[in-house]
Amino acid sequence: MSRIESARRRAGAVKRGLAILAAASLVVAGVLARATNPGHAATASGSSSAVTSSGSDSSSSDDFSIAPSSSQPQVQTHVS
């Protein structure tokens, strides 16, 4: 076996090893992305909390006031 043939075999082995490593990395990245996707949480909360005000400030001279919204916000729970 010549030195050229030996070098080609080593290069081929390195290429196969890198291909296997790249495929394994892709699988691991896919599993991690799937596990950490917030759209696929294991437990979903069905209740929502509203911000309420405990009092009002009547010492203001203008008619502008900030009050909590009376309607519940629309929440999208699934993103495709």
Side-chain angles (χ1 to χ4, degrees):
M1 173 180 347
S2 71
R3 291 181 0 196
I4 300 294
E5 290 174 352
S6 177
R8 285 183 180 158
R9 287 185 188 199
R10 285 192 308 268
V14 169
K15 286 180 184 179
R16 282 189 298 277
L18 288 175
I20 291 170
L21 181 64
S25 298
L26 185 63
V27 169
V28 169
V31 169
L32 288 175
R34 178 110 174 140
T36 59
N37 186 357
H40 294 281
T43 58
S45 169
S47 64
S48 64
S49 61
V51 176
T52 59
S53 176
S54 61
S56 63
D57 186 13
S58 62
S59 65
S60 176
S61 62
D62 56 316
D63 292 330
F64 181 74
S65 67
I66 299 175
S69 174
S70 61
S71 66
Q72 292 293 324
Q74 297 297 321
V75 178
Q76 184 178 4
T77 59
H78 179 72
V79 178
S80 46

